[in-house]
Amino acid sequence: MNALPVQVTRLLRSGRPAGSSLPIWLTFAGTFAVAAVVVGIGGGRFVTVANLQNIAQRSVALGLVTVGQALVVLAGSLDLSVAYVVSVAALTASLVMAGDPARMALGVGAALLAGALAGLVNGLVITGLRVNAFIATLGVAYILRGAINAAFDNFAGAVPDQFQVLGYDVVAGVPVSLLLLGGVVAGAWYLMHRTRFGYHVYAVGGDAEAARLSGVRPHRVLVGVHVLSGLCAATSGVFLASRLGAGAPWVGPDGGYDLESIAAVVLGGTALAGGKGRLLGPLAAVAILAVLDSVFNFFQADPFLRTLVRGLVIVGAVALYGLRGAGERS
Amino acid sequence: MSGLVEARPRPGLRRLAAVPPIWLVLAALLVVVVWRDPTFAQPASLLAFLKRCAPLLVLALGQLFVIVGGEFDLSVGALVTACVVIAARLGDGDPGRTWWVVAVLAVFGALVGLTNGLVTTLLRVPSFITTLGSMLVLNGAVFLWTGGAPTGALADNLRVLGRSGMTGVPVVGQLPWAVPVLVVVVTGATLLLHHTRFGDQVFAVGGGPRAAMLSGVDVWRIRTATFVLSGLSAVLAGILLAGFAGLSADAGSGYEFQAITAVVLAGAVLGGGRGTTVATVGGVLTLQALFILLNLLGFAKPLRDSAEGVLVIAAGAYTAYRARRSG
């Protein structure tokens, strides 16, 4: 018990939590190289601007959600509501904009507000009512699912054509949406690795009680990360609305963003128990999944085979971490 | 801790206090349901209600073992779907094949549970990820095998268990087969979890794996066994659901979260060490009674989800509140 606060203080002072996301980026590079060779043997070209842009676009929606999920998991919590927050935000943006270019900012603002509110509710239920994060966010997910499915059964509202720039346009070879993801990641990275709040997140995730004894307020930190996760999911919803031209109740759950974002966070080397891992690792995992998707697309593989391989990759990779961790301990 | 409290005398009062609160919620819900629809109180309606609850009840009891042991099983919904689809494909509507189809399903369910258990305990993968992975693998593999849509047909004698009943029973007329099945399953699960050495070990492992290990419990064996039980419960739930609802590609989808919800409603704690079979039965019945009530009150079907969400948060909050108050 005594040793833990010391560890937290060290963490607060050193400014660099243990670990690095480099191995996962190397894995990404390896996967990318293998994918290029395999597609090359299959008679196609993998490294083309169009394909790279395609991979980037695929990474954006899951990537945005994963940034928020990573913050939540680093703080030792979990967010199962993100998929429905994505839908709520997409619907809000598209209904508020209603095809009117003058209302774009208003629509984005309303969607982000909805996401932040959902996150706030998650955070308050977890900290105020002391409900387990799994149950709290599952409950909020059910509430949102019921509400949007009762209110909508198809695409609703519309985003103006100008807003679809976000989903489709490319500036100097880089998709606009990738710039959005880059911006969100940069913000989150700065927050996690250069501010007091970030250190507090690691401290609370490592040991909430020890963090509290060292003067951190775990409840504020938890509410904070859940609001940020809501905001990230809402950003993803806004992106999807721009991509699809309107919001629909199924855009979030059909993407499987809840479980996939948690899988990406864990694949990226972040411990589900919290406190351990870097923010960029999960993003590398998202990129790896997008590369796999692109290879499956090239060979027009059965979507069920894709699901199967995804399951094996997720469990296999996490098992490797477990074995490596066991090796280091002994 | 709770053992000390329970050792005190005054059995009468203690027994009253020991009624799981979820049964009081259930009683209140049933009173409102009967008030809105008096025909619900007839024996036949009540038995039909039990029949409807049967698949989820079996699944929730399996999940209870895993949760008390400190883990999750997210793969059961996909496993239920897999069982229904496999039964249709292998049996192809031929009643003569039913027995070996059931045997194949039982072995399959046990193997899935065994894999979940071994990957979680020996490879140290968090059960959330392990069972999420097996959910993806099952969903992918089953439909890859059947070519995207379920094929074949379910034999009539396979569907008997979930669909028909004994006729000519006094008082109630027809007794659905699901009811005696439930009696056997609930009794078996209660004996196994609360009255055997194995059950005690499950609680010990969930309450504190390290303490359990130091007192000589094989943690990995006990946890793996809970996953096998959960896999087997999914097979039985699949057979009941095949009878009740028939063949479909999303037969079991969403059932994993419903089972976890029911177990949480029953006051079990995620993380392990707490939960009872009797309360879990109450949790499942409450969830289904709530759905019936919402239907009677004319709410749109999707709002069931919202009500379920409010209920599970309330149950989680109540359990947390009681845990704080007691210690």
Side-chain angles (χ1 to χ4, degrees):
Chain A
M1 194 64 209
N2 256 335
L4 288 165
V6 174
Q7 199 183 3
V8 172
T9 339
R10 197 191 305 141
L11 185 71
L12 291 172
R13 281 198 196 129
S14 76
R16 242 187 114 74
S20 148
S21 58
L22 189 64
I24 302 129
W25 285 104
L26 291 177
T27 313
F28 167 69
T31 315
F32 190 88
V34 171
V37 169
V38 168
V39 170
I41 292 171
R45 289 195 57 206
F46 191 73
V47 191
T48 60
V49 172
N51 194 40
L52 293 184
Q53 284 172 353
N54 184 18
I55 292 176
Q57 294 273 24
R58 280 173 175 277
S59 309
V60 170
L62 182 59
L64 287 168
V65 176
T66 302
V67 171
Q69 189 73 261
L71 299 183
V72 171
V73 172
L74 281 173
S77 190
L78 189 73
D79 193 348
L80 288 174
S81 69
V82 283
Y84 296 98
V85 174
V86 167
S87 289
V88 167
L91 284 164
T92 309
S94 115
L95 285 169
V96 170
M97 287 181 199
D100 179 359
R103 294 165 66 93
M104 288 199 298
L106 194 64
V108 172
L112 292 181
L113 187 67
L117 268 179
L120 185 66
V121 171
N122 281 330
L124 291 179
V125 169
I126 292 167
T127 56
L129 301 177
R130 314 277 176 104
V131 179
N132 175 300
F134 183 101
I135 298 169
T137 57
L138 180 65
V140 169
Y142 271 129
I143 293 171
L144 295 178
R145 176 165 87 176
I148 55 179
N149 283 334
F152 306 99
D153 57 1
N154 208 335
F155 284 103
V159 302
D161 291 344
Q162 290 92 322
F163 195 66
Q164 295 208 304
V165 167
L166 176 63
Y168 288 95
D169 276 26
V170 173
V171 175
V174 181
V176 176
S177 56
L178 194 61
L179 296 176
L180 172 71
L181 176 62
V184 170
V185 170
W189 189 90
Y190 183 81
L191 188 70
M192 286 307 289
H193 297 314
R194 289 290 178 273
T195 67
R196 185 186 289 257
F197 178 79
Y199 302 140
H200 288 179
V201 170
Y202 276 104
V204 170
D207 187 324
E209 183 58 18
R212 195 180 64 79
L213 293 174
S214 340
V216 177
R217 299 188 182 192
H219 284 190
R220 285 194 184 177
V221 172
L222 280 171
V223 172
V225 289
H226 275 283
V227 169
L228 288 171
S229 172
L231 281 172
C232 287
T235 311
S236 183
V238 169
F239 162 69
L240 286 170
S242 142
R243 190 94 187 140
L244 300 170
W250 59 80
V251 296
D254 272 13
Y257 297 117
D258 38 9
L259 298 177
E260 293 231 342
S261 64
I262 294 171
V265 166
V266 178
L267 273 182
T270 304
L272 262 190
K276 257 185 264 172
R278 304 277 291 180
L279 187 65
L280 295 181
L283 279 159
V286 170
I288 292 174
L289 292 177
V291 167
L292 286 179
D293 272 357
S294 154
V295 172
F296 275 98
N297 260 11
F298 175 78
F299 288 105
Q300 297 185 331
D302 198 307
F304 299 112
L305 185 65
R306 209 192 83 178
T307 314
L308 195 159
V309 170
R310 215 164 236 232
L312 289 177
V313 166
I314 289 170
V315 176
V318 178
L320 281 180
Y321 288 128
L323 292 176
R324 204 180 57 179
E328 278 166 8
R329 266 195 300 276
S330 55
Chain B
M1 175 187 70
S2 62
L4 283 179
V5 178
E6 276 164 11
R8 284 184 193 148
R10 297 170 68 189
L13 262 179
R14 188 172 64 78
R15 192 150 287 192
L16 188 68
V19 171
I22 194 67
W23 283 91
L24 304 179
V25 177
L26 174 64
L29 274 176
L30 287 180
V31 166
V32 183
V33 169
V34 171
W35 171 56
R36 299 289 302 195
D37 175 18
T39 59
F40 188 81
Q42 288 167 0
S45 307
L46 287 173
L47 289 175
F49 173 64
L50 281 180
K51 181 165 100 174
R52 179 189 294 268
C53 294
L56 183 58
L57 230 169
V58 172
L59 212 53
L61 287 172
Q63 187 76 246
L64 176 68
F65 278 86
V66 180
I67 287 182
V68 168
E71 303 287 348
F72 294 111
D73 191 349
L74 296 180
S75 69
V76 286
L79 186 52
V80 165
T81 307
C83 285
V84 174
V85 171
I86 291 174
R89 172 78 189 247
L90 288 182
D92 210 11
D94 177 2
R97 298 188 193 171
T98 293
W99 289 112
W100 68 258
V101 165
V102 170
V104 167
L105 289 182
V107 171
F108 179 69
L111 275 181
V112 171
L114 187 67
T115 313
N116 282 337
L118 291 180
V119 171
T120 302
T121 55
L122 296 186
L123 298 182
R124 295 162 194 265
V125 178
S127 57
F128 188 95
I129 298 295
T130 311
T131 56
L132 167 63
S134 41
M135 169 176 160
L136 292 175
V137 169
L138 282 171
N139 277 336
V142 165
F143 289 106
L144 198 61
W145 179 53
T146 58
T151 52
L154 294 161
D156 280 338
N157 58 352
L158 184 75
R159 296 194 63 181
V160 161
L161 214 52
R163 185 162 58 169
S164 350
M166 276 181 265
T167 46
V169 178
V171 186
V172 293
Q174 198 204 41
L175 181 69
W177 285 110
V179 174
V181 169
L182 282 185
V183 171
V184 171
V185 169
V186 172
T187 314
T190 307
L191 289 177
L192 189 59
L193 187 59
H194 299 297
H195 299 281
T196 65
R197 207 178 127 74
F198 169 74
D200 293 342
Q201 290 179 335
V202 174
F203 276 98
V205 164
R210 192 154 173 79
M213 197 184 73
L214 293 175
S215 35
V217 178
D218 262 338
V219 174
W220 71 271
R221 254 192 227 176
I222 299 296
R223 282 202 165 142
T224 304
T226 63
F227 279 104
V228 172
L229 282 173
S230 176
L232 289 173
S233 79
V235 172
L236 183 54
I239 293 173
L240 287 168
L241 201 65
F244 186 77
L247 177 59
S248 88
D250 57 353
S253 75
Y255 263 87
E256 62 281 348
F257 285 121
Q258 280 207 357
I260 293 174
T261 300
V263 173
V264 169
L265 288 186
V269 179
L270 295 188
R274 285 184 68 165
T276 67
T277 52
V278 175
T280 301
V281 174
V284 173
L285 299 183
T286 303
L287 203 55
Q288 295 287 351
L290 178 74
F291 292 163
I292 289 180
L293 182 63
L294 291 176
N295 196 20
L296 280 177
L297 296 177
F299 282 94
K301 209 169 174 186
L303 286 175
R304 285 175 172 195
D305 287 334
S306 299
E308 188 178 340
V310 173
L311 197 64
V312 72
I313 289 179
Y318 177 76
T319 309
Y321 167 74
R322 218 176 41 170
R324 274 206 304 284
R325 211 182 40 177
S326 72

